């Protein structure tokens, strides 16, 4: 008989991958806003927003096809393609509108940021390095020294330095309080040893921001520290971890006696979790993948309008159509939720809980759209069926379906999001 696992105590989600689980005070003015802006919640179509949408479309259309070329479903842009896109966006002043003005921020509304992401995604533009622009960049601005800002932010803006996030380990994923990577303090350096797992794009990254535990003499600190590590340093080896689709997206990173200057520590030793909490909120919002699901819904509608089953298109099948309409309605609601989360005027338990709802429902919608694509194409979506007539998009359907099983795990699992909603919003 299967044994039921005793639920972990609430204290274990205090350091959960995806949030704090603690009651928070509203954010003070001096704290970073990350992806949030201060605006009232009015999502009616505004002529200025529509004009901006047109401007974005013109901008994309004017770029050379080397930078923007719609790629088939499941295509992973190469690093040079992404670098060219980052440079083009930065030259236009649109790479980091949510950053502080001193570093290129634009004080945009949530709607503007949403429109830019929506349009670039719909056009099949490469992804910028969101790990850099949305996660570590704001942390360095808010908590890094002036020297750290001068050293690291220009590389993000020019696209010359890519980042990876070294939080998860074999024994620490949902519960990051179990991080075991040790940074032994020796004079002006830390000697870092440990093993990071599931590290997205570590094989492409120049730098990693890592959660570590500082050791001074024989004493291991309880609190986590936030350390910037050069991936080219001696003692670092990266091994691919292939995902269900057979793709190389994530890695195992071994750190063996890696020497890191003490000046690479962000803020104070043992205070890493304070800096990470806002980062995880931003990560959740990004991981919901709403613009990607919208783009794929359009592809699904194209497939369903041409794919014949029992003498009629899938779109004319009322049962299939009902499923599609349900997904479209869900996505519409999620888009508003996304805007609501992005434009939250105050932080606090309820706002954080909304981000958790967005993350897990968004990830489910992202999976659902590829399930319906699979259903539409049937056996034609299975890779090993030899069929020279298949379009490149169709060929990517099975791989996308398989990879997206991870969407409800990455950036905090669905179970963890539900635990957090229970604690933060329902006070259970
Ligand atoms: C594609 C992908 C990319 C990723 N990229 C990165 C990255 O770049 N950097 C990084 O640091 N990490 C990354 N991760 C790791 C990711 O954050 C973790 O996989 C995730 O937080 C879950 O941790 P875990 O894998 O250790 O699972 P575990 O924490 O071991 O969980 C195993 C199962 O137990 C459940 N569970 C755990 N605790 C509880 C609880 N308290 N209550 C109820 N259920 C619970 C979980 O929901 C899950 O179903 C990535 C993961 C994936 C799949």
């Amino acid at each position: 008989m299967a044994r039921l696992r005793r639920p972990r105590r609430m204290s274990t989600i205090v350091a959960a991958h995806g949030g704090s689980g603690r009651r928070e005070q509203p954010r003070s003015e001096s704290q970073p806003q990350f992806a949030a802006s201060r605006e009232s919640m009015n999502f009616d179509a505004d002529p200025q927003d529509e004009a901006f949408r047109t401007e974005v479309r013109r901008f994309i259309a004017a770029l050379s096809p080397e930078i923007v070329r719609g790629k088939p479903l499941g295509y992973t842009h190469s690093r040079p393609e992404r670098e060219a896109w980052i440079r083009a966006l930065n030259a236009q002043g649109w790479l980091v509108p949510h950053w502080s003005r001193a570093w290129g921020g634009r004080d945009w509304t949530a709607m503007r940021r949403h429109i830019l992401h929506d349009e670039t995604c719909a056009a099949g533009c490469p992804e910028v390095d969101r790990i850099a622009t949305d996660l570590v960049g704001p942390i360095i601005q808010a908590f890094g020294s002036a020297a750290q800002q001068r050293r690291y932010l220009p590389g993000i803006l020019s696209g010359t330095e890519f980042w990876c996030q070294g939080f998860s380990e074999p024994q620490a994923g949902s519960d990051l309080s179990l991080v075991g990577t040790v940074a032994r303090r020796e004079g002006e350096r830390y000697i870092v040893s440990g093993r990071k797992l599931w590290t997205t794009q570590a094989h492409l990254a120049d730098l990693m921001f890592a959660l570590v535990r500082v050791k001074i003499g024989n004493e291991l600190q309880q609190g986590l520290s936030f350390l910037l590590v050069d991936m080219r340093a001696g003692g670092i080896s990266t091994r691919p971890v292939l995902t269900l689709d057979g793709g190389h997206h994530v890695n195992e990173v071994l750190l063996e006696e890696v020497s890191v200057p003490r000046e690479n520590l962000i803020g104070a030793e043992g205070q890493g979790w304070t800096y990470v909490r806002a980062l995880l909120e931003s990560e959740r919002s990004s991981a919901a993948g709403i613009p990607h699901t919208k783009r794929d819904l359009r592809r699904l509608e194209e497939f369903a309008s041409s794919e014949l089953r029992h003498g009629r298109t899938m779109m004319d099948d009322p049962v299939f159509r009902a499923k599609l309409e349900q997904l479209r309605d869900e996505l519409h609601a999620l888009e508003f939720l996304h805007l609501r989360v992005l434009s939250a005027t105050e932080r606090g338990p309820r706002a954080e809980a909304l981000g958790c709802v967005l993350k897990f429902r968004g990830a489910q919608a992202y999976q659902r759209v590829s399930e319906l694509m699979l259903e539409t194409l049937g056996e034609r979506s299975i890779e090993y069926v030899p069929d020279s007539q298949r379009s490149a998009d169709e060929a990517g359907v099975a791989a996308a379906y398989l990879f997206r099983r991870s969407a409800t795990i990455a950036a905090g699992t669905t179970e963890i999001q539900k635990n957090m909603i229970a604690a933060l919003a329902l006070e259970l």
Side-chain angles (χ1 to χ4, degrees):
M1 194 173 68
R3 274 202 308 156
L4 283 178
R5 196 144 63 114
R6 198 157 56 88
R8 297 192 203 181
R9 297 202 351 251
M10 282 314 295
S11 59
T12 62
I13 68 163
V14 161
H17 203 133
S20 64
R22 287 199 183 109
R23 308 258 170 277
E24 286 180 80
Q25 296 302 314
R27 181 183 301 272
S28 77
E29 286 298 333
S30 60
Q31 284 180 293
Q33 289 189 28
F34 287 78
S37 70
R38 296 182 178 274
E39 60 175 298
S40 62
M41 254 180 30
N42 177 3
F43 303 140
D44 291 345
D46 176 324
Q48 285 185 339
D49 288 333
E50 286 314 309
F52 178 66
R53 192 180 285 281
T54 308
E55 191 185 345
V56 175
R57 286 183 183 166
R58 283 207 193 104
F59 166 71
I60 295 171
L63 287 173
S64 89
E66 301 316 313
I67 298 181
V68 184
R69 191 188 292 129
K71 296 289 195 298
L73 194 75
Y75 177 84
T76 307
H77 288 95
S78 67
R79 177 160 165 171
E81 286 171 329
R82 292 172 71 193
E83 281 181 16
W85 170 236
I86 290 168
R87 278 196 300 275
L89 266 184
N90 192 38
Q92 181 73 6
W94 290 353
L95 179 63
V96 287
H98 54 295
W99 280 19
S100 69
R101 276 201 162 268
W103 287 102
R106 303 288 295 259
D107 289 337
W108 277 2
T109 59
M111 181 61 95
R112 275 207 166 197
R113 292 202 307 276
H114 179 70
I115 288 172
L116 179 65
H117 198 186
D118 204 30
E119 288 298 324
T120 55
C121 197
C125 301
E127 272 294 311
V128 302
D129 181 10
R130 293 202 179 277
I131 297 175
T133 57
D134 294 5
L135 303 186
V136 75
I139 293 253
I140 293 173
Q141 284 167 76
F143 305 107
S145 65
Q148 286 170 334
Q149 293 176 9
R150 282 195 303 275
R151 160 64 188 88
Y152 296 109
L153 299 180
I156 296 177
L157 295 173
S158 61
T160 48
E161 288 189 323
F162 275 40
W163 287 77
C164 63
Q165 181 194 52
F167 288 3
S168 302
E169 299 181 359
Q171 304 306 326
S174 298
D175 187 354
L176 289 173
S177 70
L178 300 176
V179 159
T181 296
V182 171
R184 198 174 70 244
R185 209 208 283 169
E186 282 190 8
E188 284 310 299
R189 305 192 80 79
Y190 293 110
I191 307 300
V192 183
S193 295
R195 193 168 151 217
K196 297 292 177 183
L197 195 57
W198 311 117
T199 321
T200 301
Q201 78 174 23
H203 54 303
L204 302 174
D206 306 284
L207 293 149
M208 170 196 274
F209 53 97
L211 282 179
V212 299
R213 215 173 279 283
V214 168
K215 190 175 185 185
I216 306 167
N218 284 330
E219 202 175 313
L220 197 58
Q221 283 194 342
Q222 250 208 326
L224 295 170
S225 298
F226 194 101
L227 197 61
L228 310 181
V229 180
D230 189 333
M231 291 294 282
R232 294 154 294 209
I236 298 187
S237 50
T238 300
R239 275 202 336 211
V241 176
L242 299 188
T243 39
L244 272 183
D245 59 326
H248 180 192
H249 311 279
V250 295
N251 302 271
E252 177 191 53
V253 180
L254 268 179
L255 300 117
E256 295 170 291
E257 298 279 288
V258 180
S259 176
V260 179
R262 265 182 75 186
E263 67 201 27
N264 285 20
L265 180 81
I266 292 285
E269 284 174 350
Q271 295 300 311
W273 191 250
T274 319
Y275 317 138
V276 163
R277 282 162 65 179
L279 174 153
L280 292 179
E281 282 183 48
S282 183
E283 185 185 34
R284 274 198 297 271
S285 165
S286 208
I290 307 301
H292 297 87
T293 309
K294 272 182 74 181
R295 176 201 61 198
D296 289 355
L297 184 66
R298 282 190 286 273
R299 280 178 167 158
L300 171 63
E301 285 166 348
E302 284 164 22
F303 290 156
S305 300
S306 59
E307 197 66 23
L308 293 176
R309 194 76 46 89
H310 308 302
R312 62 182 175 190
T313 68
M314 290 292 279
M315 205 59 132
D316 289 330
D317 172 348
V319 175
F320 181 82
R321 203 181 168 101
K323 293 182 202 171
L324 198 140
E325 296 294 349
Q326 193 180 11
L327 176 61
R328 189 185 292 138
D329 289 348
E330 170 94 357
L331 199 51
H332 198 58
L334 282 170
E335 205 174 354
F336 279 96
L337 180 58
H338 189 208
L339 280 165
R340 194 173 159 191
V341 168
L342 282 180
S343 61
T345 52
E346 279 197 353
R347 299 291 186 192
R350 283 188 180 271
E352 198 176 349
L354 279 181
C356 296
V357 175
L358 174 67
K359 197 281 154 173
F360 93 83
R361 295 300 292 255
Q364 287 172 342
Y366 190 50
Q367 292 178 337
R368 184 72 183 135
V369 72
S370 65
E371 284 163 16
L372 291 181
M373 281 184 180
L374 209 65
E375 186 178 333
T376 306
L377 297 181
E379 65 177 17
R380 295 200 320 117
S381 59
I382 300 172
E383 299 259 338
Y384 60 76
V385 175
D387 181 356
S388 56
Q389 299 303 309
R390 285 197 316 171
S391 73
D393 259 350
E394 290 177 9
V397 165
Y401 168 80
L402 290 171
F403 178 67
R404 289 179 192 189
R405 306 322 298 161
S406 67
T408 41
I409 301 172
T413 68
T414 293
E415 290 76 19
I416 292 297
Q417 306 309 312
K418 288 182 177 174
N419 279 356
M420 290 180 59
I421 294 162
L424 294 164
L426 306 177
E427 301 186 6
L428 295 175

